[in-house]
Amino acid sequence: MGYVDTVLLPGETVRFRTGRHWVLYVPGLVLALAGAGCAGWTTYAYATAEFGVHVDVLWPALSAGLLGLALVLLVRAWYRRRVTEIAVTDRRVIYRSGLFRRTTSEMPIDRIEKIDVDQGLVGQMLDFGNVSVNGIACGIGADRLKRIAGPIRLRSHVIAGDHPVRVPQGPVVAEIGRPAPAATPTSATPVPADTTPAAAAR
Protein backbone atom coordinates (compact mmCIF):
# COMPACT_ATOMS: atom_id res chain seq x y z
CA MET A 1 0.00 0.00 0.00
CA GLY A 2 1.42 3.36 -1.05
CA TYR A 3 1.30 6.73 0.64
CA VAL A 4 -1.71 7.89 -1.39
CA ASP A 5 -3.83 4.96 -0.20
CA THR A 6 -3.03 5.74 3.44
CA VAL A 7 -4.16 9.39 3.28
CA LEU A 8 -7.44 8.97 1.39
CA LEU A 9 -10.45 10.46 3.15
CA PRO A 10 -13.73 8.54 3.60
CA GLY A 11 -15.51 8.46 0.26
CA GLU A 12 -12.52 9.87 -1.65
CA THR A 13 -11.63 8.03 -4.86
CA VAL A 14 -8.45 8.10 -6.95
CA ARG A 15 -9.00 9.24 -10.54
CA PHE A 16 -5.42 9.04 -11.87
CA ARG A 17 -2.00 7.84 -10.68
CA THR A 18 1.40 8.58 -12.17
CA GLY A 19 5.05 9.08 -11.26
CA ARG A 20 8.47 9.72 -12.75
CA HIS A 21 8.88 8.68 -16.37
CA TRP A 22 11.29 5.92 -17.34
CA VAL A 23 13.28 8.54 -19.32
CA LEU A 24 15.23 9.06 -16.06
CA TYR A 25 17.13 5.87 -16.94
CA VAL A 26 18.44 7.25 -20.25
CA PRO A 27 21.65 9.00 -18.96
CA GLY A 28 22.70 5.89 -17.04
CA LEU A 29 21.98 3.62 -20.01
CA VAL A 30 24.01 5.85 -22.33
CA LEU A 31 27.00 5.76 -19.98
CA ALA A 32 26.59 2.00 -19.57
CA LEU A 33 26.77 1.56 -23.34
CA ALA A 34 29.83 3.80 -23.51
CA GLY A 35 31.50 1.84 -20.72
CA ALA A 36 30.69 -1.44 -22.46
CA GLY A 37 32.21 -0.05 -25.65
CA CYS A 38 35.40 0.91 -23.82
CA ALA A 39 35.55 -2.53 -22.22
CA GLY A 40 35.19 -4.16 -25.63
CA TRP A 41 37.92 -1.95 -27.05
CA THR A 42 40.17 -2.89 -24.12
CA THR A 43 39.60 -6.57 -24.80
CA TYR A 44 40.46 -6.03 -28.44
CA ALA A 45 43.61 -4.08 -27.51
CA TYR A 46 44.84 -6.86 -25.24
CA ALA A 47 44.03 -9.50 -27.84
CA THR A 48 45.86 -7.79 -30.70
CA ALA A 49 48.67 -6.24 -28.58
CA GLU A 50 48.81 -3.23 -30.88
CA PHE A 51 48.98 -0.62 -28.10
CA GLY A 52 51.56 0.21 -25.50
CA VAL A 53 51.31 -0.17 -21.76
CA HIS A 54 49.98 3.39 -21.27
CA VAL A 55 47.01 2.83 -23.55
CA ASP A 56 46.33 -0.58 -22.01
CA VAL A 57 45.98 1.05 -18.58
CA LEU A 58 43.93 4.00 -19.85
CA TRP A 59 41.11 2.07 -21.48
CA PRO A 60 40.36 -0.29 -18.57
CA ALA A 61 40.30 2.68 -16.19
CA LEU A 62 37.98 4.62 -18.50
CA SER A 63 35.60 1.71 -18.96
CA ALA A 64 35.50 1.04 -15.21
CA GLY A 65 34.80 4.72 -14.49
CA LEU A 66 31.99 4.90 -17.04
CA LEU A 67 30.37 1.69 -15.82
CA GLY A 68 30.61 2.83 -12.20
CA LEU A 69 29.03 6.20 -12.98
CA ALA A 70 26.33 4.49 -15.03
CA LEU A 71 25.49 2.25 -12.09
CA VAL A 72 25.18 5.27 -9.79
CA LEU A 73 22.85 7.06 -12.24
CA LEU A 74 20.70 3.98 -12.77
CA VAL A 75 20.29 3.39 -9.04
CA ARG A 76 19.48 7.08 -8.53
CA ALA A 77 16.84 6.97 -11.28
CA TRP A 78 15.30 3.81 -9.82
CA TYR A 79 15.18 5.40 -6.36
CA ARG A 80 13.53 8.60 -7.63
CA ARG A 81 10.86 6.63 -9.47
CA ARG A 82 10.33 4.32 -6.52
CA VAL A 83 9.78 7.01 -3.88
CA THR A 84 7.64 9.41 -5.97
CA GLU A 85 3.85 9.17 -5.97
CA ILE A 86 1.50 11.53 -7.79
CA ALA A 87 -2.26 11.09 -7.75
CA VAL A 88 -5.40 13.01 -8.67
CA THR A 89 -8.49 12.24 -6.63
CA ASP A 90 -11.99 13.66 -6.87
CA ARG A 91 -10.99 16.19 -4.17
CA ARG A 92 -7.28 17.04 -4.45
CA VAL A 93 -3.88 16.58 -6.10
CA ILE A 94 -1.39 14.62 -3.96
CA TYR A 95 2.40 14.60 -4.37
CA ARG A 96 4.84 12.60 -2.29
CA SER A 97 8.59 12.06 -2.65
CA GLY A 98 11.42 10.75 -0.49
CA LEU A 99 11.97 7.78 1.78
CA PHE A 100 14.18 8.78 4.69
CA ARG A 101 13.11 12.41 4.37
CA ARG A 102 9.56 12.58 3.04
CA THR A 103 8.25 15.61 1.13
CA THR A 104 4.51 15.89 0.53
CA SER A 105 2.23 18.46 -1.08
CA GLU A 106 -1.54 18.44 -1.40
CA MET A 107 -3.83 20.87 -3.19
CA PRO A 108 -7.64 20.87 -3.20
CA ILE A 109 -9.19 20.66 -6.64
CA ASP A 110 -11.51 23.62 -5.99
CA ARG A 111 -8.54 25.91 -5.24
CA ILE A 112 -6.68 25.24 -8.50
CA GLU A 113 -6.65 28.26 -10.82
CA LYS A 114 -4.21 27.13 -13.50
CA ILE A 115 -2.28 24.03 -14.50
CA ASP A 116 0.63 24.31 -16.97
CA VAL A 117 2.28 21.50 -18.94
CA ASP A 118 5.76 21.92 -20.46
CA GLN A 119 6.69 19.33 -23.09
CA GLY A 120 9.41 19.32 -25.71
CA LEU A 121 9.34 17.31 -28.92
CA VAL A 122 10.82 14.22 -27.24
CA GLY A 123 8.41 14.62 -24.33
CA GLN A 124 5.45 14.68 -26.70
CA MET A 125 6.70 11.52 -28.42
CA LEU A 126 7.40 9.61 -25.20
CA ASP A 127 4.55 11.13 -23.13
CA PHE A 128 6.44 12.89 -20.34
CA GLY A 129 6.86 16.50 -19.24
CA ASN A 130 6.88 19.05 -16.43
CA VAL A 131 3.64 20.11 -14.74
CA SER A 132 2.97 23.17 -12.59
CA VAL A 133 -0.23 23.36 -10.54
CA ASN A 134 -1.05 26.89 -9.38
CA GLY A 135 -3.88 27.95 -7.12
CA ILE A 136 -5.09 30.31 -4.43
CA ALA A 137 -2.15 30.96 -2.06
CA CYS A 138 -0.62 27.55 -2.82
CA GLY A 139 0.70 25.38 -5.61
CA ILE A 140 2.87 22.44 -6.65
CA GLY A 141 5.67 23.68 -8.88
CA ALA A 142 7.38 22.11 -11.87
CA ASP A 143 10.50 21.56 -9.73
CA ARG A 144 8.56 18.73 -8.05
CA LEU A 145 6.31 17.55 -10.89
CA LYS A 146 9.28 17.15 -13.22
CA ARG A 147 9.58 14.55 -15.98
CA ILE A 148 6.40 12.79 -14.96
CA ALA A 149 4.55 10.27 -17.09
CA GLY A 150 1.24 11.22 -18.68
CA PRO A 151 1.21 14.98 -17.99
CA ILE A 152 -1.68 15.65 -20.39
CA ARG A 153 -3.81 12.96 -18.77
CA LEU A 154 -3.02 14.39 -15.36
CA ARG A 155 -4.19 17.83 -16.51
CA SER A 156 -7.35 16.34 -18.00
CA HIS A 157 -8.26 14.60 -14.75
CA VAL A 158 -7.61 17.78 -12.75
CA ILE A 159 -9.87 19.77 -15.08
CA ALA A 160 -12.54 17.07 -14.96
CA GLY A 161 -12.41 17.09 -11.17
CA ASP A 162 -12.67 20.88 -11.12
CA HIS A 163 -15.82 20.78 -13.27
CA PRO A 164 -17.82 17.75 -12.09
CA VAL A 165 -20.85 16.60 -14.04
CA ARG A 166 -23.98 17.79 -12.27
CA VAL A 167 -27.40 16.15 -12.53
CA PRO A 168 -29.95 18.76 -13.63
CA GLN A 169 -32.67 19.52 -11.12
CA GLY A 170 -36.21 20.72 -11.86
CA PRO A 171 -38.76 19.80 -14.57
CA VAL A 172 -38.34 16.64 -16.59
CA VAL A 173 -36.54 17.30 -19.89
CA ALA A 174 -37.32 15.25 -23.00
CA GLU A 175 -34.59 12.88 -24.15
CA ILE A 176 -33.21 13.12 -27.66
CA GLY A 177 -35.67 11.43 -30.03
CA ARG A 178 -38.40 11.06 -27.37
CA PRO A 179 -41.20 13.47 -26.48
CA ALA A 180 -41.35 14.88 -23.00
CA PRO A 181 -43.92 13.15 -20.73
CA ALA A 182 -47.22 14.98 -20.35
CA ALA A 183 -47.53 16.99 -17.18
CA THR A 184 -50.10 15.64 -14.72
CA PRO A 185 -52.48 18.19 -13.23
CA THR A 186 -52.14 18.94 -9.58
CA SER A 187 -54.37 20.55 -7.02
CA ALA A 188 -52.59 23.83 -7.53
CA THR A 189 -53.44 23.93 -11.27
CA PRO A 190 -56.35 26.40 -11.87
CA VAL A 191 -59.47 24.98 -13.63
CA PRO A 192 -60.99 27.27 -16.31
CA ALA A 193 -64.55 28.43 -15.67
CA ASP A 194 -67.46 26.96 -17.67
CA THR A 195 -68.65 29.69 -20.07
CA THR A 196 -71.19 27.71 -22.12
CA PRO A 197 -74.81 29.14 -22.50
CA ALA A 198 -76.18 26.31 -20.36
CA ALA A 199 -73.91 27.28 -17.53
CA ALA A 200 -74.91 30.95 -17.90
CA ALA A 201 -78.64 30.07 -17.64
CA ARG A 202 -78.08 28.29 -14.27
Side-chain angles (χ1 to χ4, degrees):
M1 180 179 295
Y3 170 80
V4 173
D5 298 309
T6 61
V7 298
L8 290 178
L9 301 175
E12 186 177 12
T13 57
V14 177
R15 301 171 60 94
F16 179 69
R17 294 176 186 264
T18 187
R20 304 285 187 181
H21 195 268
W22 58 262
V23 74
L24 295 180
Y25 289 120
V26 171
L29 292 175
V30 171
L31 287 180
L33 291 176
C38 290
W41 181 256
T42 301
T43 303
Y44 172 78
Y46 275 113
T48 58
E50 294 181 357
F51 300 99
V53 177
H54 176 71
V55 177
D56 290 343
V57 173
L58 174 64
W59 285 102
L62 182 59
S63 62
L66 290 175
L67 291 175
L69 183 58
L71 179 61
V72 171
L73 293 179
L74 290 174
V75 171
R76 180 172 178 264
W78 173 85
Y79 173 78
R80 293 177 63 186
R81 296 192 73 212
R82 181 70 176 177
V83 301
T84 302
E85 292 183 65
I86 303 168
V88 180
T89 73
D90 54 351
R91 302 183 186 181
R92 52 186 169 158
V93 178
I94 302 174
Y95 165 84
R96 173 257 185 177
S97 180
L99 180 61
F100 302 104
R101 183 178 180 179
R102 180 183 297 173
T103 301
T104 62
S105 296
E106 299 180 9
M107 189 167 184
I109 293 291
D110 56 2
R111 299 187 66 182
I112 295 176
E113 295 181 330
K114 184 177 66 171
I115 177 169
D116 299 324
V117 177
D118 182 18
Q119 281 185 299
L121 180 60
V122 177
Q124 296 177 40
M125 295 173 59
L126 301 180
D127 192 23
F128 73 90
N130 305 332
V131 179
S132 178
V133 182
N134 303 306
I136 303 174
C138 59
I140 305 177
D143 57 331
R144 294 184 177 181
L145 303 180
K146 187 176 183 180
R147 294 182 181 177
I148 67 171
I152 301 298
R153 285 177 291 165
L154 184 145
R155 182 181 64 181
S156 300
H157 282 283
V158 170
I159 295 175
D162 192 27
H163 300 83
V165 178
R166 302 182 183 276
V167 179
Q169 303 295 331
V172 178
V173 181
E175 297 180 6
I176 298 177
R178 298 183 182 179
T184 56
T186 61
S187 58
T189 304
V191 179
D194 191 353
T195 59
T196 59
R202 290 198 296 267

